[in-house]
């Protein structure tokens, strides 16, 4: 049984004060939910707000903190970077890596993403490894190859246990921030392909355990159908995670659908 995850990526939004306001609102709107049935909920603020958000949330009681990026070295002459031990010190448990915006605007490669995933896991945190095709790649019929190759490269050298404990997010680039959601059955098909690829490069057991999320314009109105798919274990939510009411509705929607696994 894979425990579902709903993770909010706040991207480059919210001052510390605004982040505190948002997380307090999320906390209030989710506090009456049955903690035993609730998915793992993760919020990923900007680095500067992580500590303040963590101080408001009680870890282990439903809502965890994630960072949106990290560097793979622990310390040293790497001006402007933030390492995994420093993120851990802020009480974060998850780190997003390989988000398409980082691939697109910051030149992040699968080699970088693999180094980051290894660093995250070596410090006992959980990577949320993102993959997904662009519109151009989809229209050229290259979706499966692109996604498979990203996963093979991103997971290279990870132990079976590390793979099983990781989270993967399938995020078609054309669906991110566009309001265009990928058809749920199609998202499930690609996620199954990702799971089969994990089985090939790691093991069937780790493939059955790794949680694979869908991301791309997830909204309260789409989550139930997405969560009712056999292989979708949750969602990575951008825009809708910035509105406490929408994020709470997405969590509630995920709880209405019991995972078939
Ligand atoms: C994201 O940033 O990972 C994302 C999926 O964004 P949105 O939900 O806004 O499409």
């Amino acid at each position: 049984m894979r425990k579902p995850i709903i993770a909010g990526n706040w991207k480059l939004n919210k001052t510390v004060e605004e982040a505190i306001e948002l997380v307090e609102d999320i906390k209030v709107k989710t506090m009456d939910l049955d903690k035993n049935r609730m998915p793992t909920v993760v919020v990923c603020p900007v680095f500067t707000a992580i500590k303040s958000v963590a101080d408001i949330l009680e870890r282990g009681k439903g809502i965890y903190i994630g960072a949106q990026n990290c560097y793979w070295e622990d310390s040293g002459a790497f001006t402007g970077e933030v390492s995994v031990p420093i993120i851990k010190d802020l009480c974060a448990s998850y780190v997003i890596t390989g988000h398409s915006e980082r691939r697109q605007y910051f030149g992040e490669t699968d080699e970088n993403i693999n180094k980051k995933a290894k660093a995250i896991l070596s410090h006992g945190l959980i990577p949320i490894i993102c993959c997904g095709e662009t519109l151009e790649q989809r229209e050229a019929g290259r979706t499966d190859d692109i996604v498979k190759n990203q996963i093979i490269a991103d997971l290279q050298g990870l132990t079976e246990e590390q793979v099983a404990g990781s989270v993967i997010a399938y995020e078609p680039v054309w669906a991110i921030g566009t309001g265009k959601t990928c058809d749920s059955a199609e998202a499930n098909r690609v996620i199954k392909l990702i799971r089969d690829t994990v089985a090939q490069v790691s093991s069937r057991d780790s493939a059955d355990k790794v949680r694979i999320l869908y991301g791309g314009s997830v909204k309260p109105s789409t989550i139930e159908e997405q969560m009712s798919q056999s292989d979708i274990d949750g969602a990575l939510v951008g825009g809708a995670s910035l509105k406490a009411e929408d994020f709470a509705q997405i969590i509630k929607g995920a709880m209405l659908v019991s995972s078939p696994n």
Side-chain angles (χ1 to χ4, degrees):
M1 175 96 175
R2 297 185 293 267
K3 187 171 164 70
I5 302 188
I6 300 295
N9 173 15
W10 293 2
K11 311 195 190 198
L12 182 50
N13 292 292
K14 307 288 175 192
T15 61
V16 172
E17 201 181 321
E18 289 164 349
I20 290 172
E21 204 179 307
L22 175 58
V23 80
E24 275 176 343
D25 209 3
I26 292 171
K27 205 175 157 186
V28 168
K29 288 188 163 63
T30 56
M31 78 184 163
D32 291 335
L33 299 180
D34 178 352
K35 299 286 177 279
N36 295 320
R37 290 184 46 246
M38 215 170 136
T40 300
V41 177
V42 184
V43 292
C44 305
V46 294
F47 283 126
T48 48
I50 290 180
K51 183 72 176 71
S52 308
V53 168
D55 286 345
I56 291 165
L57 299 172
E58 297 163 83
R59 280 207 303 165
K61 296 213 171 144
I63 304 185
Y64 292 81
I65 316 281
Q68 298 173 20
N69 182 33
C70 66
Y71 192 55
W72 55 82
E73 296 288 351
D74 285 358
S75 61
F78 304 105
T79 303
E81 292 297 326
V82 180
S83 69
V84 181
I86 286 170
I87 291 169
K88 190 173 181 175
D89 187 47
L90 299 174
C91 296
S93 319
Y94 290 77
V95 184
I96 298 174
T97 183
H99 192 281
S100 64
E101 288 153 13
R102 296 215 56 87
R103 292 178 189 256
Q104 190 180 346
Y105 306 130
F106 303 99
E108 197 145 293
T109 63
D110 286 309
E111 195 185 349
N112 300 158
I113 294 158
N114 177 248
K115 284 186 188 168
K116 291 181 182 191
K118 284 177 178 156
I120 296 162
L121 287 158
S122 75
H123 289 285
L125 276 70
I126 300 173
I128 301 178
I129 303 167
C130 302
C131 62
E133 81 289 356
T134 63
L135 184 60
E136 201 185 8
Q137 290 163 341
R138 174 162 282 265
E139 285 176 349
R142 296 176 57 214
T143 298
D144 294 10
D145 277 351
I146 293 290
V147 170
K148 260 165 109 173
N149 289 337
Q150 287 174 338
I151 289 301
I152 292 168
D154 298 347
L155 300 184
Q156 212 202 340
L158 265 57
T159 65
E160 285 181 29
E161 201 184 336
Q162 286 177 324
V163 171
S166 297
V167 176
I168 295 172
Y170 168 56
E171 299 206 302
V173 181
W174 49 270
I176 297 180
T178 58
K180 282 187 214 156
T181 319
C182 181
D183 173 74
S184 298
E186 170 60 8
N188 195 51
R189 185 194 70 78
V190 179
I191 286 176
K192 269 190 173 166
L193 175 85
I194 293 171
R195 209 177 287 292
D196 287 343
T197 307
V198 173
Q200 278 165 27
V201 298
S202 183
S203 69
R204 189 71 249 174
D205 186 52
S206 49
D208 287 340
K209 286 182 178 151
V210 66
R211 286 173 295 172
I212 311 184
L213 317 182
Y214 166 76
S217 297
V218 171
K219 313 171 203 46
S221 60
T222 64
I223 190 70
E224 279 183 58
E225 190 184 293
Q226 286 153 345
M227 291 302 293
S228 62
Q229 303 295 317
S230 63
D231 280 69
I232 300 183
D233 301 321
L236 180 54
V237 186
S241 72
L242 293 168
K243 295 178 201 133
E245 182 56 32
D246 284 3
F247 195 56
Q249 287 303 330
I250 289 170
I251 296 165
K252 289 176 194 169
M255 289 173 74
L256 291 175
V257 186
S258 55
S259 166
N261 294 291

